[in-house]
Amino acid sequence: MPNLAVHGTVSRSTARLPLTGAEWVLVAVLAVASFGLFGLDTVDAAANNQVYLGAAGATAQDGMQYLAWATDAAHHGLIANLYGFNNGGHVFFHPIWLVTGLLHVDAGVSYALLLGLWQAVALILLVIVLRRYAQLVLGNDGRARVISLVLALFLVSPFFLFVVNLHIKINGQWTSRLNGESYAVEWISGYFPIALTVTAMIGYLIALERLMGTLDRPTLSGELLRRAGFEAVALGATAALLHPWQGTELAVLTVGGAIWGRLPARRSVRLLLPLAGIALPLLYYLILPKIDAGWATASRASGPYLPDIPLLGWLTTFGPIVLASIPGWRTRATSDRQRLLRMWPIAVLNGKYQAFAGVSVPLALLAVQGWQRVLEERRLQGRSQRVLRFTVTAGVVVLVFGAVPSTAWLLINRRSAVRAVAELGRPDADALHYLARQPRGGVLSTAKLGIWVPAVTDDSTYVGHLVWTPQWRSRLNYVSRLFDYPGKRPLSPTAALALIEQPGARYVLEPCGAREELWPLLEPRGYTRRVFGCATVYSRGRSVRTG
């Protein structure tokens, strides 16, 4: 049985151990699966003379939005929403995208390389911290630790194959979306801030346990100013800033842990700094939509495009692992570590699916811990464990088997993401790089090019990311008609000019594949043009040519 910390003390019976062969295999599989999409996109772009900035993941437009933040942060320090003309100011601070943008804009490091490095860092930190946490919870049982890592990192609904690949209508959209919160490959591939958030959460719980369990000090300032407290502040603030839903969870866990563990009032003082570290980023996110039009746009838009999750979506995604974890809930929580572990799955129930990122960690540990105890009880009773071991093994396979079709689905369907956003033809990319050297101004183009515009040029765009663009559907319709998408009725010359000459618009980027009929309309109005193969940039007034 594992050695668990008792109330008020911290167990130090588990020394750090080198990775076993099974754990190295696990890490290798996780790395290959996590970088598969990134690698395929990189090779595809090189083979087809396309431009790829490293935005992988199931929805590459989110990755392009992050790069837009990076470029804007490099130029201004604070970030504005550039999807929409005059749609908010520079009010958002994000350290990851500030560092990324500075390395790209000022040091010339490619975004693809930077994103690849971030993903590698996120993977390594996640494995190290998660393994340490599993060791603390389960002790030095190497087999139990490996099984918990497998479940925590590769948990995908066993219904995924039926819901998505065979198109059986059990709300496949939400089963697929929720898998992104339980499957570590999707945390890392394209959404590495989630992997860093989960890592910070685990580190916070380890620091919080140490903070709650150390001996009293004679003064209140001594209680408040503790090394473990400062560690918890840094980790809690990081998690809350990277993914605010997880910050809310940590606040609930901190308060809940103190109440459940009946922490003495004097010791509760030491929790004030960690709670303050979590609260500041959460307050920041609460204020942003009140003071900035861009954040208000995102706050309003997330509802129509992300409707409520039906009960069946939750059950098909998390029901199996919850059932498997029941034996773990049956054991009494006699330490801060065990109480925090049990509260984590409850703390995610705040109504937002994003809060479920990382919930596979406590559920996996509870499942392994519970069945570990059941097997030990059987051994002590002198009863055969063979059938039960086989059942447990089969259960683990069922719980993670969905990772195979889920990963295959991501790789097979990557072509739709490539066509939609992830890669760009050389002529269109050349036009964007030209705009990056021109005086700043709003760019009117298609939705795909619009997603790229802020990341490359740091200019605003008429239509781009569906959540961050005001009236995204109507704007998509207008640009589709302006650039003559198949099946769309072209705009009249009057309507086209009204769209092109709206306040905030300075450039028109007519991409490859457009109908190429704008020059006769714009030349009499004093526009200049610059041609890049099949792509054309129209500028209002005189532009500065630098290449």
Side-chain angles (χ1 to χ4, degrees):
M1 295 298 296
N3 295 313
L4 305 178
V6 297
H7 178 73
T9 64
V10 179
S11 170
R12 301 193 182 276
S13 60
T14 50
R16 288 177 174 82
L17 300 173
L19 267 68
T20 64
E23 287 171 330
W24 277 115
V25 171
L26 180 65
V27 171
V29 172
L30 178 64
V32 170
S34 299
F35 281 86
L37 196 62
F38 183 88
L40 286 176
D41 286 347
T42 302
V43 172
D44 182 83
N48 294 285
N49 196 30
Q50 300 280 300
V51 176
Y52 175 60
L53 298 185
T59 54
Q61 67 171 328
D62 289 341
M64 294 304 301
Q65 176 209 349
Y66 295 151
L67 295 183
W69 285 359
T71 301
D72 204 37
H75 287 97
H76 304 281
L78 297 178
I79 299 166
N81 176 26
L82 297 178
Y83 295 116
F85 301 143
N86 305 313
N87 188 27
H90 292 90
V91 297
F92 183 47
F93 173 75
H94 199 295
I96 285 181
W97 302 120
L98 175 61
V99 172
T100 303
L102 289 174
L103 288 173
H104 174 72
V105 174
D106 293 340
V109 184
S110 74
Y111 271 144
L113 177 59
L114 289 169
L115 292 184
L117 291 174
W118 273 121
Q119 289 182 198
V121 169
L123 186 151
I124 293 169
L125 291 177
L126 176 64
V127 170
I128 291 173
V129 176
L130 175 56
R131 181 177 181 270
R132 177 60 179 163
Y133 190 45
Q135 185 182 356
L136 289 172
V137 172
L138 302 173
N140 292 331
D141 186 336
R143 181 180 298 178
R145 188 173 64 249
V146 169
I147 293 173
S148 68
L149 292 176
V150 169
L151 289 175
L153 296 173
F154 293 92
L155 180 67
V156 175
S157 170
F159 295 99
F160 186 93
L161 179 65
F162 303 99
V163 172
V164 178
N165 288 51
L166 299 184
H167 305 288
I168 295 177
K169 301 301 181 182
I170 312 179
N171 204 287
Q173 174 194 2
W174 279 117
T175 299
S176 176
R177 186 178 294 278
L178 287 173
N179 280 333
E181 309 305 318
S182 69
Y183 187 22
V185 165
E186 294 202 38
W187 305 345
I188 298 166
S189 179
Y191 296 94
F192 67 85
I194 298 180
L196 293 175
T197 300
V198 175
T199 302
M201 285 187 73
I202 298 171
Y204 177 88
L205 293 179
I206 295 173
L208 181 64
E209 178 201 346
R210 193 164 65 250
L211 179 65
M212 295 171 70
T214 49
L215 299 176
D216 293 341
R217 289 183 177 176
T219 63
L220 286 178
S221 62
E223 289 288 353
L224 189 64
L225 305 176
R226 290 174 173 267
R227 177 179 175 181
F230 288 116
E231 291 174 1
V233 169
L235 292 164
T238 298
L241 185 61
L242 294 182
H243 223 230
W245 303 275
Q246 275 60 42
T248 303
E249 292 172 33
L250 292 182
V252 171
L253 287 171
T254 304
V255 176
I259 295 173
W260 189 0
R262 299 180 181 179
L263 197 68
R266 186 178 184 85
R267 288 194 182 187
S268 298
V269 172
R270 63 184 69 170
L271 303 182
L272 294 179
L273 276 181
L275 285 172
I278 295 169
L280 287 177
L282 295 182
L283 182 63
Y284 184 37
Y285 281 112
L286 187 65
I287 293 173
L288 282 174
K290 311 294 184 184
I291 64 172
D292 183 72
W295 280 85
T297 295
S299 179
R300 290 191 302 267
S302 60
Y305 303 117
L306 300 175
D308 291 337
I309 305 173
L311 178 61
L312 201 55
W314 295 108
L315 293 178
T316 56
T317 304
F318 294 106
I321 186 62
V322 170
L323 290 175
S325 69
I326 288 176
W329 295 91
R330 291 175 57 240
T331 57
R332 185 179 178 184
T334 57
S335 67
D336 293 329
R337 182 182 301 160
Q338 293 297 322
R339 284 186 281 269
L340 292 171
L341 179 66
R342 282 158 176 75
M343 284 191 297
W344 187 349
I346 299 172
V348 305
L349 302 176
N350 64 13
K352 298 293 185 180
Y353 81 92
Q354 295 95 333
F356 278 72
V359 75
S360 58
V361 172
L363 291 175
L365 290 171
L366 284 168
V368 173
Q369 187 179 66
W371 288 103
Q372 185 185 41
R373 191 176 298 272
V374 170
L375 287 169
E376 179 66 11
E377 290 172 352
R378 284 225 170 192
R379 186 187 67 81
L380 293 175
Q381 294 169 2
R383 300 168 62 184
S384 173
Q385 303 177 50
R386 182 175 301 177
V387 175
L388 186 57
R389 286 187 181 278
F390 175 81
T391 303
V392 170
T393 302
V396 172
V397 172
V398 168
L399 289 172
V400 301
F401 174 75
V404 176
S406 176
T407 305
W409 183 83
L410 284 173
L411 297 179
I412 292 171
N413 288 277
R414 57 171 286 278
R415 291 305 309 169
S416 61
V418 166
R419 287 192 295 268
V421 175
E423 296 178 16
L424 199 63
R426 287 287 175 184
D428 291 332
D430 290 342
L432 286 175
H433 287 299
Y434 167 76
L435 285 172
R437 301 190 298 269
Q438 304 307 304
R440 293 199 63 188
V443 179
L444 179 66
S445 191
T446 61
K448 175 177 180 176
L449 267 294
I451 291 174
W452 279 68
V453 164
V456 177
T457 70
D458 196 34
D459 288 324
S460 60
T461 182
Y462 176 70
V463 61
H465 194 285
L466 64 89
V467 171
W468 292 85
T469 302
Q471 298 91 41
W472 178 79
R473 291 192 186 280
S474 62
R475 293 185 180 217
L476 176 66
N477 178 60
Y478 287 138
V479 297
S480 299
R481 293 172 64 185
L482 177 67
F483 296 107
D484 195 24
Y485 274 31
K488 294 289 185 178
R489 179 169 54 88
L491 293 174
S492 67
T494 301
L497 285 174
L499 181 63
I500 291 170
E501 297 183 343
Q502 64 181 293
R506 181 169 185 172
Y507 304 103
V508 179
L509 201 173
E510 190 175 54
C512 295
R515 57 193 172 108
E516 301 180 11
E517 295 181 5
L518 292 180
W519 182 236
L521 183 67
L522 298 179
E523 184 181 21
R525 304 185 70 85
Y527 279 76
T528 61
R529 69 172 175 176
R530 185 73 182 268
V531 178
F532 302 86
C534 52
T536 305
V537 173
Y538 302 96
S539 305
R540 181 186 295 184
R542 188 175 180 84
S543 63
V544 180
R545 295 193 178 188
T546 59

PDB file of all heavy atoms in Angstrom, residues 48-72:
ATOM      1  N   ASN A  48       4.608  21.243 -50.729  1.00  0.00           N
ATOM      2  CA  ASN A  48       3.675  21.915 -51.632  1.00  0.00           C
ATOM      3  C   ASN A  48       3.927  23.418 -51.746  1.00  0.00           C
ATOM      4  O   ASN A  48       3.058  24.153 -52.225  1.00  0.00           O
ATOM      5  CB  ASN A  48       2.242  21.668 -51.162  1.00  0.00           C
ATOM      6  CG  ASN A  48       1.829  20.215 -51.265  1.00  0.00           C
ATOM      7  OD1 ASN A  48       1.558  19.699 -52.343  1.00  0.00           O
ATOM      8  ND2 ASN A  48       1.783  19.526 -50.129  1.00  0.00           N
ATOM      9  N   ASN A  49       5.114  23.863 -51.301  1.00  0.00           N
ATOM     10  CA  ASN A  49       5.493  25.270 -51.406  1.00  0.00           C
ATOM     11  C   ASN A  49       4.454  26.178 -50.746  1.00  0.00           C
ATOM     12  O   ASN A  49       4.058  27.205 -51.286  1.00  0.00           O
ATOM     13  CB  ASN A  49       5.682  25.680 -52.868  1.00  0.00           C
ATOM     14  CG  ASN A  49       6.433  27.001 -52.984  1.00  0.00           C
ATOM     15  OD1 ASN A  49       7.252  27.335 -52.132  1.00  0.00           O
ATOM     16  ND2 ASN A  49       6.136  27.759 -54.030  1.00  0.00           N
ATOM     17  N   GLN A  50       4.008  25.766 -49.550  1.00  0.00           N
ATOM     18  CA  GLN A  50       3.059  26.548 -48.775  1.00  0.00           C
ATOM     19  C   GLN A  50       3.779  27.177 -47.578  1.00  0.00           C
ATOM     20  O   GLN A  50       4.889  26.779 -47.221  1.00  0.00           O
ATOM     21  CB  GLN A  50       1.928  25.650 -48.262  1.00  0.00           C
ATOM     22  CG  GLN A  50       1.123  24.969 -49.358  1.00  0.00           C
ATOM     23  CD  GLN A  50       0.080  25.884 -49.971  1.00  0.00           C
ATOM     24  OE1 GLN A  50      -0.804  26.373 -49.298  1.00  0.00           O
ATOM     25  NE2 GLN A  50       0.203  26.116 -51.267  1.00  0.00           N
ATOM     26  N   VAL A  51       3.144  28.137 -46.961  1.00  0.00           N
ATOM     27  CA  VAL A  51       3.673  28.779 -45.763  1.00  0.00           C
ATOM     28  C   VAL A  51       2.908  28.246 -44.561  1.00  0.00           C
ATOM     29  O   VAL A  51       1.675  28.200 -44.563  1.00  0.00           O
ATOM     30  CB  VAL A  51       3.531  30.307 -45.842  1.00  0.00           C
ATOM     31  CG1 VAL A  51       3.988  30.959 -44.537  1.00  0.00           C
ATOM     32  CG2 VAL A  51       4.348  30.844 -47.014  1.00  0.00           C
ATOM     33  N   TYR A  52       3.656  27.825 -43.534  1.00  0.00           N
ATOM     34  CA  TYR A  52       3.056  27.255 -42.324  1.00  0.00           C
ATOM     35  C   TYR A  52       3.721  27.903 -41.121  1.00  0.00           C
ATOM     36  O   TYR A  52       4.940  27.896 -40.994  1.00  0.00           O
ATOM     37  CB  TYR A  52       3.271  25.738 -42.313  1.00  0.00           C
ATOM     38  CG  TYR A  52       2.798  25.031 -41.062  1.00  0.00           C
ATOM     39  CD1 TYR A  52       1.466  25.071 -40.673  1.00  0.00           C
ATOM     40  CD2 TYR A  52       3.694  24.317 -40.265  1.00  0.00           C
ATOM     41  CE1 TYR A  52       1.028  24.422 -39.542  1.00  0.00           C
ATOM     42  CE2 TYR A  52       3.270  23.656 -39.127  1.00  0.00           C
ATOM     43  CZ  TYR A  52       1.940  23.707 -38.763  1.00  0.00           C
ATOM     44  OH  TYR A  52       1.516  23.058 -37.633  1.00  0.00           O
ATOM     45  N   LEU A  53       2.917  28.463 -40.227  1.00  0.00           N
ATOM     46  CA  LEU A  53       3.449  29.173 -39.074  1.00  0.00           C
ATOM     47  C   LEU A  53       3.450  28.330 -37.803  1.00  0.00           C
ATOM     48  O   LEU A  53       3.856  28.820 -36.744  1.00  0.00           O
ATOM     49  CB  LEU A  53       2.648  30.457 -38.819  1.00  0.00           C
ATOM     50  CG  LEU A  53       2.677  31.504 -39.931  1.00  0.00           C
ATOM     51  CD1 LEU A  53       1.955  32.771 -39.493  1.00  0.00           C
ATOM     52  CD2 LEU A  53       4.113  31.832 -40.340  1.00  0.00           C
ATOM     53  N   GLY A  54       2.989  27.087 -37.890  1.00  0.00           N
ATOM     54  CA  GLY A  54       3.029  26.212 -36.725  1.00  0.00           C
ATOM     55  C   GLY A  54       1.716  26.045 -36.009  1.00  0.00           C
ATOM     56  O   GLY A  54       1.659  25.395 -34.955  1.00  0.00           O
ATOM     57  N   ALA A  55       0.640  26.625 -36.537  1.00  0.00           N
ATOM     58  CA  ALA A  55      -0.669  26.529 -35.885  1.00  0.00           C
ATOM     59  C   ALA A  55      -1.276  25.166 -36.176  1.00  0.00           C
ATOM     60  O   ALA A  55      -1.921  24.953 -37.200  1.00  0.00           O
ATOM     61  CB  ALA A  55      -1.597  27.638 -36.370  1.00  0.00           C
ATOM     62  N   ALA A  56      -1.068  24.222 -35.265  1.00  0.00           N
ATOM     63  CA  ALA A  56      -1.626  22.884 -35.416  1.00  0.00           C
ATOM     64  C   ALA A  56      -2.899  22.791 -34.581  1.00  0.00           C
ATOM     65  O   ALA A  56      -3.474  23.797 -34.181  1.00  0.00           O
ATOM     66  CB  ALA A  56      -0.601  21.832 -34.977  1.00  0.00           C
ATOM     67  N   GLY A  57      -3.348  21.580 -34.292  1.00  0.00           N
ATOM     68  CA  GLY A  57      -4.543  21.396 -33.475  1.00  0.00           C
ATOM     69  C   GLY A  57      -5.768  21.174 -34.327  1.00  0.00           C
ATOM     70  O   GLY A  57      -5.775  21.356 -35.551  1.00  0.00           O
ATOM     71  N   ALA A  58      -6.844  20.777 -33.650  1.00  0.00           N
ATOM     72  CA  ALA A  58      -8.087  20.470 -34.350  1.00  0.00           C
ATOM     73  C   ALA A  58      -8.651  21.710 -35.040  1.00  0.00           C
ATOM     74  O   ALA A  58      -9.265  21.623 -36.096  1.00  0.00           O
ATOM     75  CB  ALA A  58      -9.101  19.886 -33.368  1.00  0.00           C
ATOM     76  N   THR A  59      -8.499  22.889 -34.441  1.00  0.00           N
ATOM     77  CA  THR A  59      -8.944  24.143 -35.051  1.00  0.00           C
ATOM     78  C   THR A  59      -7.747  25.082 -35.105  1.00  0.00           C
ATOM     79  O   THR A  59      -7.421  25.747 -34.120  1.00  0.00           O
ATOM     80  CB  THR A  59     -10.090  24.773 -34.242  1.00  0.00           C
ATOM     81  OG1 THR A  59      -9.676  24.910 -32.875  1.00  0.00           O
ATOM     82  CG2 THR A  59     -11.344  23.915 -34.312  1.00  0.00           C
ATOM     83  N   ALA A  60      -7.120  25.144 -36.258  1.00  0.00           N
ATOM     84  CA  ALA A  60      -5.885  25.922 -36.392  1.00  0.00           C
ATOM     85  C   ALA A  60      -6.123  27.417 -36.240  1.00  0.00           C
ATOM     86  O   ALA A  60      -5.177  28.166 -35.977  1.00  0.00           O
ATOM     87  CB  ALA A  60      -5.239  25.628 -37.748  1.00  0.00           C
ATOM     88  N   GLN A  61      -7.377  27.860 -36.392  1.00  0.00           N
ATOM     89  CA  GLN A  61      -7.619  29.297 -36.259  1.00  0.00           C
ATOM     90  C   GLN A  61      -7.321  29.790 -34.844  1.00  0.00           C
ATOM     91  O   GLN A  61      -6.940  30.945 -34.652  1.00  0.00           O
ATOM     92  CB  GLN A  61      -9.050  29.642 -36.655  1.00  0.00           C
ATOM     93  CG  GLN A  61     -10.131  29.098 -35.752  1.00  0.00           C
ATOM     94  CD  GLN A  61     -11.499  29.668 -36.106  1.00  0.00           C
ATOM     95  OE1 GLN A  61     -11.607  30.805 -36.555  1.00  0.00           O
ATOM     96  NE2 GLN A  61     -12.527  28.873 -35.919  1.00  0.00           N
ATOM     97  N   ASP A  62      -7.467  28.908 -33.849  1.00  0.00           N
ATOM     98  CA  ASP A  62      -7.095  29.314 -32.492  1.00  0.00           C
ATOM     99  C   ASP A  62      -5.588  29.544 -32.392  1.00  0.00           C
ATOM    100  O   ASP A  62      -5.136  30.500 -31.745  1.00  0.00           O
ATOM    101  CB  ASP A  62      -7.520  28.250 -31.479  1.00  0.00           C
ATOM    102  CG  ASP A  62      -9.023  28.190 -31.301  1.00  0.00           C
ATOM    103  OD1 ASP A  62      -9.707  29.166 -31.658  1.00  0.00           O
ATOM    104  OD2 ASP A  62      -9.524  27.157 -30.826  1.00  0.00           O
ATOM    105  N   GLY A  63      -4.806  28.673 -33.032  1.00  0.00           N
ATOM    106  CA  GLY A  63      -3.360  28.861 -33.055  1.00  0.00           C
ATOM    107  C   GLY A  63      -2.973  30.148 -33.758  1.00  0.00           C
ATOM    108  O   GLY A  63      -2.049  30.858 -33.321  1.00  0.00           O
ATOM    109  N   MET A  64      -3.669  30.491 -34.840  1.00  0.00           N
ATOM    110  CA  MET A  64      -3.382  31.740 -35.540  1.00  0.00           C
ATOM    111  C   MET A  64      -3.765  32.947 -34.681  1.00  0.00           C
ATOM    112  O   MET A  64      -3.109  33.989 -34.731  1.00  0.00           O
ATOM    113  CB  MET A  64      -4.134  31.779 -36.868  1.00  0.00           C
ATOM    114  CG  MET A  64      -3.663  30.739 -37.877  1.00  0.00           C
ATOM    115  SD  MET A  64      -1.888  30.844 -38.246  1.00  0.00           S
ATOM    116  CE  MET A  64      -1.757  32.506 -38.878  1.00  0.00           C
ATOM    117  N   GLN A  65      -4.825  32.809 -33.880  1.00  0.00           N
ATOM    118  CA  GLN A  65      -5.191  33.880 -32.964  1.00  0.00           C
ATOM    119  C   GLN A  65      -4.082  34.104 -31.938  1.00  0.00           C
ATOM    120  O   GLN A  65      -3.728  35.243 -31.624  1.00  0.00           O
ATOM    121  CB  GLN A  65      -6.494  33.547 -32.249  1.00  0.00           C
ATOM    122  CG  GLN A  65      -6.896  34.571 -31.207  1.00  0.00           C
ATOM    123  CD  GLN A  65      -7.697  33.978 -30.075  1.00  0.00           C
ATOM    124  OE1 GLN A  65      -8.129  32.842 -30.144  1.00  0.00           O
ATOM    125  NE2 GLN A  65      -7.893  34.745 -29.020  1.00  0.00           N
ATOM    126  N   TYR A  66      -3.508  33.007 -31.425  1.00  0.00           N
ATOM    127  CA  TYR A  66      -2.402  33.143 -30.476  1.00  0.00           C
ATOM    128  C   TYR A  66      -1.214  33.878 -31.120  1.00  0.00           C
ATOM    129  O   TYR A  66      -0.558  34.710 -30.477  1.00  0.00           O
ATOM    130  CB  TYR A  66      -1.937  31.762 -29.999  1.00  0.00           C
ATOM    131  CG  TYR A  66      -2.961  30.998 -29.198  1.00  0.00           C
ATOM    132  CD1 TYR A  66      -2.968  29.607 -29.201  1.00  0.00           C
ATOM    133  CD2 TYR A  66      -3.924  31.645 -28.434  1.00  0.00           C
ATOM    134  CE1 TYR A  66      -3.903  28.882 -28.473  1.00  0.00           C
ATOM    135  CE2 TYR A  66      -4.859  30.938 -27.699  1.00  0.00           C
ATOM    136  CZ  TYR A  66      -4.844  29.550 -27.724  1.00  0.00           C
ATOM    137  OH  TYR A  66      -5.763  28.840 -26.999  1.00  0.00           O
ATOM    138  N   LEU A  67      -0.939  33.558 -32.384  1.00  0.00           N
ATOM    139  CA  LEU A  67       0.166  34.230 -33.067  1.00  0.00           C
ATOM    140  C   LEU A  67      -0.155  35.694 -33.316  1.00  0.00           C
ATOM    141  O   LEU A  67       0.755  36.546 -33.322  1.00  0.00           O
ATOM    142  CB  LEU A  67       0.485  33.509 -34.375  1.00  0.00           C
ATOM    143  CG  LEU A  67       1.009  32.079 -34.222  1.00  0.00           C
ATOM    144  CD1 LEU A  67       1.368  31.501 -35.585  1.00  0.00           C
ATOM    145  CD2 LEU A  67       2.220  32.037 -33.289  1.00  0.00           C
ATOM    146  N   ALA A  68      -1.424  36.015 -33.543  1.00  0.00           N
ATOM    147  CA  ALA A  68      -1.821  37.419 -33.650  1.00  0.00           C
ATOM    148  C   ALA A  68      -1.534  38.139 -32.336  1.00  0.00           C
ATOM    149  O   ALA A  68      -1.041  39.279 -32.323  1.00  0.00           O
ATOM    150  CB  ALA A  68      -3.308  37.524 -34.001  1.00  0.00           C
ATOM    151  N   TRP A  69      -1.831  37.476 -31.222  1.00  0.00           N
ATOM    152  CA  TRP A  69      -1.498  38.054 -29.916  1.00  0.00           C
ATOM    153  C   TRP A  69       0.007  38.257 -29.788  1.00  0.00           C
ATOM    154  O   TRP A  69       0.460  39.274 -29.268  1.00  0.00           O
ATOM    155  CB  TRP A  69      -1.999  37.136 -28.806  1.00  0.00           C
ATOM    156  CG  TRP A  69      -3.477  37.165 -28.586  1.00  0.00           C
ATOM    157  CD1 TRP A  69      -4.394  37.935 -29.245  1.00  0.00           C
ATOM    158  CD2 TRP A  69      -4.215  36.410 -27.621  1.00  0.00           C
ATOM    159  NE1 TRP A  69      -5.656  37.702 -28.770  1.00  0.00           N
ATOM    160  CE2 TRP A  69      -5.576  36.771 -27.765  1.00  0.00           C
ATOM    161  CE3 TRP A  69      -3.871  35.460 -26.676  1.00  0.00           C
ATOM    162  CZ2 TRP A  69      -6.578  36.205 -26.973  1.00  0.00           C
ATOM    163  CZ3 TRP A  69      -4.864  34.902 -25.885  1.00  0.00           C
ATOM    164  CH2 TRP A  69      -6.208  35.272 -26.030  1.00  0.00           C
ATOM    165  N   ALA A  70       0.780  37.266 -30.229  1.00  0.00           N
ATOM    166  CA  ALA A  70       2.237  37.347 -30.109  1.00  0.00           C
ATOM    167  C   ALA A  70       2.787  38.540 -30.894  1.00  0.00           C
ATOM    168  O   ALA A  70       3.615  39.317 -30.389  1.00  0.00           O
ATOM    169  CB  ALA A  70       2.873  36.044 -30.583  1.00  0.00           C
ATOM    170  N   THR A  71       2.343  38.688 -32.131  1.00  0.00           N
ATOM    171  CA  THR A  71       2.831  39.790 -32.964  1.00  0.00           C
ATOM    172  C   THR A  71       2.449  41.139 -32.363  1.00  0.00           C
ATOM    173  O   THR A  71       3.264  42.071 -32.310  1.00  0.00           O
ATOM    174  CB  THR A  71       2.261  39.667 -34.387  1.00  0.00           C
ATOM    175  OG1 THR A  71       2.656  38.410 -34.948  1.00  0.00           O
ATOM    176  CG2 THR A  71       2.763  40.790 -35.273  1.00  0.00           C
ATOM    177  N   ASP A  72       1.218  41.249 -31.907  1.00  0.00           N
ATOM    178  CA  ASP A  72       0.771  42.515 -31.332  1.00  0.00           C
ATOM    179  C   ASP A  72       1.497  42.815 -30.024  1.00  0.00           C
ATOM    180  O   ASP A  72       1.864  43.973 -29.753  1.00  0.00           O
ATOM    181  CB  ASP A  72      -0.741  42.460 -31.102  1.00  0.00           C
ATOM    182  CG  ASP A  72      -1.370  43.844 -31.077  1.00  0.00           C
ATOM    183  OD1 ASP A  72      -0.920  44.711 -31.851  1.00  0.00           O
ATOM    184  OD2 ASP A  72      -2.300  44.057 -30.285  1.00  0.00           O
TER     185      ASP A  72
END
